[in-house]
Amino acid sequence: MKMKLKFLLIVFFAGFSAYSQVAFDAVVSKETLGVNERLRVDFEMNKDGDNFRPPSFQGFTVVGGPNQSISKQWINGKASFSKTFSYFLQPKATGKLKIGQAEIEIDGTVYKTIPIEINVTGAVDLQKDPNDPQVAATENVHLVAEVSKSDPYLNEAFTVVYKLYVSRETAVNGWNELDAPKFADFWSQSIDEKQFKVYDGSYNGKPYRYVILRRTLLYPQKTGELTIEPLALNINVEAPTNRRDIFGMRITRPAKITVTAPTRKVNVKRLPEDGKPESFTGAVGSFDFDVIASKTKLDAQEALDLTLTAKGNGNLKLFNLPKPKLPSSLEVYEPENNQDVRVSLNGMAGSTAARYTIVPQQKGNYPIPPIRFSYFDPATEQYKTLSSDEIIIDVENGPAALASKDDNKVPVKAVNQFNYIKSDANLVAQNKDSFFATITFWGMLATPVILIPLAILFGRKRKAYQNDVKGNRLRKADKLARKYLGDAKKSLGDQTAFYLALEKCLHNFLKARLNIQTSDMSKDRISKLLQERGATVETTADFLKLLESCEFARYTPSSSDAMQHDYEQASRVISEIDKQL
């Protein structure tokens, strides 16, 4: 009998343990795919959790998701629960890629998935459905990067222009950047488009419309073959299908596609070594050079300004002006550098100047020798040198220069600087302070007596705070709600990130105020609990409407104005519920 009882207990606890075990796994649709295919990854859990953190998806572009689904079943008296976060990914390059660990917090414990290795091969042939808007959109939308010069010299300006070509039968509703070029080996300056203008053009011999998305001015900082990183866009389009309506017009369907400009390479040439002057400091372009003194006649201890200016077209921000060689009798301060540079598609234009403040110390005439400035002109592929005229500084009044002859030396007289030093001295301390019975003495004596009771009281408060599991959970949920509301504000304009953060904010807010879990958050239960706690019908309806907005945002596009309105509505409703509960 005892053996049977032990066996039944073992089976019962083993079954209970297996039932209550938490499972959190990552599942992919395929482990090998072409670079032009898409991958689906699901993060599945058998218990409801909070604070889901996906991996960074390094090497992939997220083209869809996160999509969330929850399933509850009750079969033969046994309950089961399933929650899934789904993402759709597009690989950026071939090779071995890895999907990192996702994290979820369940009952105060953090669980992580196992990383999955994905093998990305070259492009594969895909079955094309003529009625699939995804296929039609991909064939009718193209992103192109045009480079003005493929073989510039080091520090010579050229431009890269990104154009989006769209066929006349396809409409674009909007786009956002997925991957922007960083131009690591270039000095770069983007030329903003004040407004987008549609132009007529052709692509592969067919008539297209195009819009210029971005113009960027580049100055290469290295020689050799350099790569211009591609620009990737996520575009919402209305693509035509082979179906027609009753009037014979083509039926269009919405689609979201990812387009990438081809990678461009430029071969940057070295500046020639033959004929390079000693005064060359890296200037490339076409320049004029001036040296101007604010005055040439003055007295000693007066100041004058010597200004060196290079002006023209070229890399004005990327070289240093030559330093003047001045007589040692002139005191020279560090120069003040000023730049007046305009940046356009033709490169930098304007001037760069260095102003030296000079103070002569003695009377006399001081020549400032000619100053040479050299630059490389890409148009003629030659070095050119400009030289200033000699400048004479006439110091009229002041001390003459010190003579250096031996007969002008003045002998030094010895002076007795010390009186008789006593060997025996009766030194008496001027101040005799006693530490005993002072304020510092009594303060140090009383400090332990005061601090010990305070430490005991603080320890009790801290222990009570730690033992308050329910209160700590609610406080943590409230803190997370405030954090996610701030994240939502930072993500305004990014629909997916904004509504994901806003939904987490609303869920954690309900946990803090109503003490319920995510799995219990049905609309009827939320409405009932809010009104039981004192929330008005209007405030409750506004809160439920926000939850619906978060759900609809997973499937329908939303404008920036709508996101701004939902954020302001969330801030107002949360504040109203705080006051009413």
Side-chain angles (χ1 to χ4, degrees):
M1 186 66 182
K2 290 182 179 180
M3 292 297 294
K4 290 183 178 180
L5 181 60
K6 289 182 179 178
F7 177 76
L8 290 174
L9 289 174
I10 292 173
V11 171
F12 173 77
F13 283 112
F16 180 77
S17 163
Y19 176 76
S20 61
Q21 186 176 6
V22 175
F24 180 46
D25 301 308
V27 180
V28 296
S29 58
K30 56 180 73 175
E31 294 185 356
T32 301
L33 71 156
V35 71
N36 58 333
E37 292 185 291
R38 292 187 176 182
L39 172 72
R40 172 172 175 165
V41 55
D42 295 329
F43 299 99
E44 302 174 347
M45 64 202 76
N46 64 347
K47 281 194 173 184
D48 194 13
D50 298 307
N51 306 324
F52 172 72
R53 289 179 290 276
S56 62
F57 297 119
Q58 185 175 1
F60 294 92
T61 298
V62 179
V63 296
N67 299 325
Q68 179 179 325
S69 62
I70 297 177
S71 174
K72 296 181 181 179
Q73 293 182 346
W74 190 269
I75 301 176
N76 297 329
K78 292 184 178 180
S80 63
F81 175 86
S82 175
K83 185 176 182 180
T84 304
F85 290 93
S86 301
Y87 291 84
F88 294 89
L89 309 177
Q90 177 81 43
K92 296 180 180 178
T94 59
K96 299 287 186 180
L97 302 180
K98 182 177 291 187
I99 296 177
Q101 292 180 320
E103 297 181 6
I104 192 74
E105 185 176 334
I106 301 177
D107 296 333
T109 303
V110 175
Y111 295 86
K112 299 181 180 181
T113 60
I114 298 175
I116 301 177
E117 189 174 82
I118 304 297
N119 182 28
V120 181
T121 64
V124 298
D125 294 331
L126 302 176
Q127 294 182 354
K128 296 184 178 180
D129 181 0
N131 294 318
D132 185 0
Q134 191 82 27
V135 175
T138 303
E139 293 178 347
N140 294 323
V141 179
H142 309 277
L143 184 60
V144 176
E146 296 181 354
V147 176
S148 63
K149 195 166 189 177
S150 59
D151 58 345
Y153 278 102
L154 181 70
N155 265 316
E156 181 185 2
F158 71 96
T159 58
V160 56
V161 179
Y162 293 96
K163 296 180 179 180
L164 181 65
Y165 283 85
V166 182
S167 70
R168 298 182 179 276
E169 298 178 344
T170 306
V172 174
N173 296 329
W175 64 78
N176 63 286
E177 289 188 2
L178 294 178
D179 192 12
K182 300 179 179 60
F183 305 116
D185 297 324
F186 303 86
W187 182 96
S188 63
Q189 175 73 54
S190 294
I191 311 298
D192 295 331
E193 297 292 325
K194 295 182 179 179
Q195 64 180 34
F196 294 110
K197 182 180 178 181
V198 179
Y199 301 89
D200 291 326
S202 62
Y203 183 84
N204 286 340
K206 297 181 180 179
Y208 268 75
R209 297 165 299 165
Y210 72 89
V211 63
I212 297 176
L213 299 181
R214 175 185 292 180
R215 294 181 173 100
T216 303
L217 176 68
L218 300 176
Y219 283 87
Q221 301 300 293
K222 293 172 60 177
T223 59
E225 187 178 72
L226 302 183
T227 300
I228 299 176
E229 297 178 354
L231 172 68
L233 300 178
N234 197 5
I235 304 179
N236 298 320
V237 299
E238 290 285 340
T241 65
N242 286 340
R243 298 174 182 174
R244 299 182 181 270
D245 57 19
I246 58 175
F247 299 102
M249 303 296 292
R250 269 195 167 188
I251 298 175
T252 61
R253 292 175 58 187
K256 180 179 288 188
I257 62 171
T258 300
V259 294
T260 304
T263 300
R264 299 300 302 269
K265 295 182 181 294
V266 293
N267 185 24
V268 181
K269 297 181 290 186
R270 296 178 180 274
L271 298 178
E273 292 295 329
D274 294 340
K276 181 185 292 187
E278 294 182 0
S279 56
F280 178 71
T281 58
V284 177
S286 178
F287 302 97
D288 292 325
F289 181 66
D290 294 318
V291 178
I292 299 175
S294 60
K295 51 181 135 177
T296 56
K297 291 186 178 181
L298 70 164
D299 294 334
Q301 303 302 323
E302 287 187 24
L304 66 94
D305 291 333
L306 185 70
T307 304
L308 286 66
T309 305
K311 54 186 176 182
N313 298 298
N315 59 334
L316 286 162
K317 295 184 178 181
L318 303 175
F319 65 84
N320 297 319
L321 290 170
K323 293 183 179 181
K325 296 180 180 179
L326 303 176
S328 59
S329 298
L330 299 179
E331 185 176 354
V332 184
Y333 294 88
E334 286 297 319
E336 177 184 347
N337 297 308
N338 296 305
Q339 291 183 340
D340 182 14
V341 179
R342 301 174 301 279
V343 180
S344 66
L345 290 177
N346 296 322
M348 299 185 203
S351 64
T352 179
R355 185 176 65 187
Y356 292 84
T357 298
I358 300 174
V359 180
Q361 302 298 315
Q362 294 143 359
K363 180 180 177 180
N365 291 328
Y366 301 96
I368 298 178
I371 302 173
R372 300 179 183 277
F373 170 74
S374 299
Y375 65 92
F376 179 78
D377 188 351
T380 61
E381 298 185 339
Q382 292 179 349
Y383 290 100
K384 297 181 179 180
T385 300
L386 304 175
S387 179
S388 65
D389 297 329
E390 183 182 56
I391 300 175
I392 304 296
I393 304 300
D394 184 10
V395 182
E396 297 177 339
N397 298 312
L402 294 176
S404 59
K405 295 182 179 180
D406 295 339
D407 54 2
N408 290 333
K409 293 182 179 180
V410 179
V412 179
K413 296 181 179 179
V415 179
N416 184 11
Q417 299 179 356
F418 300 98
N419 291 325
Y420 175 73
I421 301 176
K422 297 180 180 181
S423 59
D424 295 326
N426 297 322
L427 302 178
V428 179
Q430 293 183 351
N431 298 320
K432 294 184 178 180
D433 294 334
S434 176
F435 176 69
F436 181 74
T438 61
I439 296 177
T440 305
F441 171 79
W442 292 115
M444 295 179 65
L445 191 64
T447 298
V449 179
I450 298 173
L451 290 181
I452 290 174
L454 290 177
I456 294 174
L457 180 62
F458 175 77
R460 291 177 179 175
K461 292 286 186 181
R462 184 170 179 272
K463 186 175 181 180
Y465 182 86
Q466 292 176 340
N467 292 335
D468 185 12
V469 178
K470 179 180 177 181
N472 288 336
R473 186 172 65 250
L474 298 181
R475 283 187 288 271
K476 182 178 180 181
D478 183 67
K479 183 178 179 181
L480 287 172
R482 306 295 175 185
K483 173 184 178 296
Y484 287 125
L485 185 61
D487 292 344
K489 184 177 181 180
K490 296 177 182 177
S491 302
L492 282 170
D494 186 343
Q495 179 180 343
T496 301
F498 171 78
Y499 282 104
L500 180 62
L502 186 61
E503 186 176 33
K504 290 182 178 180
C505 166
L506 298 177
H507 284 183
N508 281 281
F509 179 76
L510 289 178
K511 290 180 183 180
R513 293 296 177 270
L514 304 182
N515 191 21
I516 60 175
Q517 297 300 317
T518 305
S519 58
D520 297 329
M521 289 184 186
S522 64
K523 294 181 181 178
D524 293 338
R525 181 167 174 77
I526 293 172
S527 177
K528 180 180 178 182
L529 290 176
L530 284 175
Q531 294 182 30
E532 287 179 354
R533 301 288 178 85
T536 63
V537 176
E538 294 79 6
T539 304
T540 303
D542 290 341
F543 190 90
L544 295 177
K545 188 176 179 180
L546 283 172
L547 289 176
E548 291 178 356
S549 296
C550 294
E551 294 176 0
F552 291 153
R554 299 175 190 158
Y555 312 104
T556 58
S558 181
S559 65
S560 298
D561 293 338
M563 284 186 274
Q564 181 67 36
H565 176 268
D566 288 341
Y567 171 76
E568 294 174 355
Q569 185 79 346
S571 300
R572 184 188 64 79
V573 170
I574 288 175
S575 178
E576 289 293 331
I577 293 177
D578 277 336
K579 295 176 183 178
Q580 295 171 9
L581 297 189

